Amino acid sequence: MPSGTGTGDEEESLSAYKARLHQQHSRPLIEQVSNQWKEKEGFSDQHQEKSLYLEDDTGELGFCDLEDEGSCPNVSRDIVSSRRFRRMFAIALLAALLLYYAWKHFVAPPLEEDWAYKEGFVAQENGTYGIAKGGSDIDPDLVRLRDLDKGLLPGGEADPEGKRRLVFVGDVHGCKKELVKLLEEVGFEEKSDHLVLVGDTISKGPDNVGVLDELMRLKATSVRGNHEDRILQVAKSAHNTLSSTSSKGRAKDVALLKQLKPHHIEYLRSMPLMLHIPTLPQASKPTHKKDSPISEHILVVHAGVVPGVPFFKQDPYYIMNMRSINRRTHVPSALRASSKNEKPWFDVWNWYNDRIFRKQSLKHFNTALQTSFQDDEDNDDNVWTSLWKNFWGERHARPKPQVVIYGHDSKEGLQIKRWSKGLDSACVSGGKLTALVLDAKGMWEVKSVGCKNYRG
């Protein structure tokens, strides 16, 4: 074998060896370990790949790793520290505070008051009239309830053309000059208009006899007020002289009684506790607004009425003296409201009648008792209609809304609401004498004249 050939083979073998050695050193150390060791320890190529994959995957699931910028704590920190997040948080906090303020001051109070009013109408074991029920000292001469003469009703059978008017006047208290002036202001027509007073026609003022004479001349109708009632109580007493009086107020009542003639006393006795005026036949369609035409039954009293209580179970004393009422018990008081549960009586009255007008639920309300007047057409159903209504429980199931016209509370002043019209505007103390004029269509207007102060 020639020497040149051997030398070339050796060089070729050396180059191949160096190449294999270089390739071996460039591989990972784990692959340079003998197959026997890898098999012994269980590190096959497949196991190694799977192990490396799991290790990397486990690293991705490490969301609490603080060294990883994509971990949950680091991402949360970046979000919280961002200006946009702080702005959104401030807006959300402000919105929550505004919602709480609106709930506390605007939403919750009406809801609470609504429930308190409602509670007074829910049937209770002792009823809704409490300790005031019935009254104990009732004047045997007292006419509890009187209906207005049908011939005086605007738009009624005696007034087909609808020219009649009713003129309601607040507490006169012996102020004849102001009464005459007010009737001139409203254009009172003696032949067609009828004058209705809310009581307290006498006492305190300068011309009590003159007022009574004028009312009798005009054939006016008045309900009994607390001052007429006081005079009648004094008249019944066998000891009505000035020397036997025990108070300044009674002394004034005795002095006034001495000025009155028997026909004056008889006129006072004829004053009913309540005056009922039926619906006006020609009245326009009513609404729930304060200035709505009056097309409902009207009840005239001096001071107030307890809503939801039958008229003949109303306490006479409170009809003439009521100023406030407990909204939860419906027990009235002659004093003004002085606590959270005490409200002006007309607030509860208006709430109740507005609920009836809107046909809202009266479930659990004490409506089994007759608490409203009925129209004649309510009883004109034929036999089949009557049976149908009785079957469905519709007959007399709901009371009807009513309007109360009253006086008595001069400190409250003129109070014109949808379901109540308070006309005492403190004439005798230098205020005004007020009239509400009602026509056959149910349209009404309020007129007033100034008064001299007779109490100063």
Side-chain angles (χ1 to χ4, degrees), residues 61-74:
L61 295 177
F63 56 88
C64 290
D65 188 0
L66 298 179
E67 295 181 359
D68 186 357
E69 293 183 357
S71 64
C72 180
N74 291 330

Side-chain angles (χ1 to χ4, degrees), residues 108-119:
L111 290 176
E112 190 275 337
E113 183 136 319
D114 190 68
W115 169 248
Y117 284 160
K118 186 184 298 184
E119 187 176 357

Side-chain angles (χ1 to χ4, degrees), residues 361-406:
S361 173
L362 294 178
K363 186 178 181 181
H364 303 307
F365 278 38
N366 191 7
T367 56
L369 302 175
Q370 183 63 41
T371 60
S372 64
F373 300 102
Q374 301 295 320
D375 294 316
D376 292 337
E377 56 267 24
D378 294 338
N379 300 318
D380 290 341
D381 299 328
N382 57 39
V383 176
W384 294 109
T385 303
S386 179
L387 290 174
W388 176 264
K389 288 188 175 182
N390 284 327
F391 179 78
W392 290 106
E394 295 180 6
R395 176 168 293 279
H396 306 314
R398 293 184 65 89
K400 291 191 172 184
Q402 301 155 86
V403 174
V404 170
I405 298 178
Y406 67 100

Side-chain angles (χ1 to χ4, degrees), residues 99-199:
L99 287 174
Y100 173 76
Y101 181 84
W103 168 263
K104 183 176 181 181
H105 295 278
F106 298 102
V107 179
L111 290 176
E112 190 275 337
E113 183 136 319
D114 190 68
W115 169 248
Y117 284 160
K118 186 184 298 184
E119 187 176 357
F121 290 97
V122 175
Q124 302 175 20
E125 291 183 3
N126 298 324
T128 59
Y129 205 15
I131 60 174
K133 193 172 185 178
S136 57
D137 185 16
I138 300 177
D139 185 351
D141 297 327
L142 176 64
V143 178
R144 287 291 195 102
L145 180 66
R146 177 178 295 160
D147 290 322
L148 182 72
D149 190 318
K150 291 183 178 180
L152 301 174
L153 187 67
E157 295 180 0
D159 182 37
E161 297 181 0
K163 293 183 177 180
R164 283 192 176 279
R165 300 185 304 170
L166 294 177
V167 179
F168 302 90
V169 176
D171 301 36
V172 177
H173 278 298
C175 301
K176 181 182 177 181
K177 290 182 179 180
E178 287 78 2
L179 175 61
V180 173
K181 184 178 179 181
L182 179 61
L183 294 180
E184 292 176 353
E185 177 69 20
V186 302
F188 187 81
E189 295 287 344
E190 295 184 24
K191 293 183 179 181
S192 57
D193 298 338
H194 184 64
L195 181 60
V196 180
L197 297 102
V198 298

